[in-house]
Amino acid sequence: MNNPRKIFFSMLVATTLAGCVTNEQFNNEMSVLQDEYRVENQQTNLAMSTRSFDVDKGRLIKAFIDTFSRKNIAVVNLDKEIGYLLAEGTGFLPPDKHKELGLAYVAELNRRTSVQWNYTPGVTTTVFTVNINEVTKNRTRAKVGLSNKASAKQHAAYYSEEYPPFTRARYEELWAELEKSLFIQRNMN
């Protein structure tokens, strides 16, 4: 092993391997992030998923349908009698907001994992599950669940928990757009 070529090659291989990230290390780093995101998203869902409105169930269902239509989100399933909607689609957040959050997510991944991440706009399908209950004649409560399907192009698509600022932004956008729909309904009647 006194051959200088062999020594150089051995040192090159050792140096190269020292900088490599193992699957186990990467999975451990992502597992920690996923656990943190899960807790934060649960807190966000508890705080932001339910709202009450001073309208009847029919008006609130119409407002959700109008909101989803304006955002190009398809209502896939609707049962007006029990107050249930399932809607899904892409592009719910404005593109500039989506990019801003995507860049922040990549920055966090780069800070907290051993892998270099790059921002690549992907297609995320947001799924909205809406349950609407009439509390009194003109008082209705809506509970919205959010889930996402990410494209395979996104590295983080293999992990189930969404970056929490995306969850908050989607709720904020939904409730703001729903208020607009209700405002338009009131002014049309």
Side-chain angles (χ1 to χ4, degrees):
M1 181 100 176
N2 290 338
N3 182 339
R5 278 185 169 167
K6 286 183 181 177
I7 293 172
F8 174 74
F9 182 71
S10 297
M11 288 175 54
L12 180 64
V13 169
T15 305
T16 304
L17 290 178
C20 291
V21 177
T22 66
N23 280 341
E24 183 179 353
Q25 180 183 359
F26 174 73
N27 287 334
N28 288 339
E29 292 168 346
M30 288 305 291
S31 180
V32 168
L33 279 174
Q34 289 291 288
D35 289 343
E36 290 175 17
Y37 291 174
R38 186 174 302 104
V39 169
E40 195 170 337
N41 282 330
Q42 286 172 345
Q43 292 169 345
T44 298
N45 288 332
L46 285 172
M48 298 183 77
S49 66
T50 304
R51 292 278 168 97
S52 295
F53 300 91
D54 293 326
V55 296
D56 62 36
K57 185 162 71 172
R59 280 184 182 252
L60 191 55
I61 289 172
K62 182 175 180 350
F64 269 105
I65 293 169
D66 291 346
T67 297
F68 291 138
S69 294
R70 276 198 321 276
K71 296 296 234 169
N72 293 319
I73 303 294
V75 175
V76 179
N77 194 345
L78 170 65
D79 188 327
K80 290 181 180 181
E81 189 175 317
I82 63 171
Y84 174 80
L85 285 103
L86 179 70
E88 64 179 47
T90 60
F92 186 73
L93 290 175
D96 57 331
K97 182 68 173 177
H98 196 277
K99 183 176 182 178
E100 172 192 327
L101 292 171
L103 289 170
Y105 182 37
V106 166
E108 179 165 337
L109 289 171
N110 284 333
R111 243 186 3 267
R112 298 195 51 198
T113 66
S114 327
V115 176
Q116 180 63 41
W117 298 77
N118 294 309
Y119 175 72
T120 306
V123 177
T124 302
T125 300
T126 304
V127 180
F128 299 86
T129 306
V130 182
N131 292 292
I132 299 172
N133 300 304
E134 215 159 36
V135 178
T136 62
K137 183 178 178 186
N138 284 316
R139 184 83 172 148
T140 311
R141 182 175 299 122
K143 180 164 179 62
V144 178
L146 299 177
S147 59
N148 293 293
K149 300 181 222 175
S151 72
K153 289 173 102 178
Q154 294 171 310
H155 298 286
Y158 302 107
Y159 300 93
S160 60
E161 285 300 322
E162 180 174 52
Y163 181 53
F166 272 115
T167 303
R168 283 191 298 279
R170 284 191 176 93
Y171 276 121
E172 289 166 356
E173 184 76 10
L174 175 64
W175 297 128
E177 289 296 318
L178 191 64
E179 288 291 344
K180 288 179 192 173
S181 293
L182 289 168
F183 178 79
I184 291 168
Q185 277 185 18
R186 281 186 214 111
N187 288 326
M188 292 183 79
N189 293 332

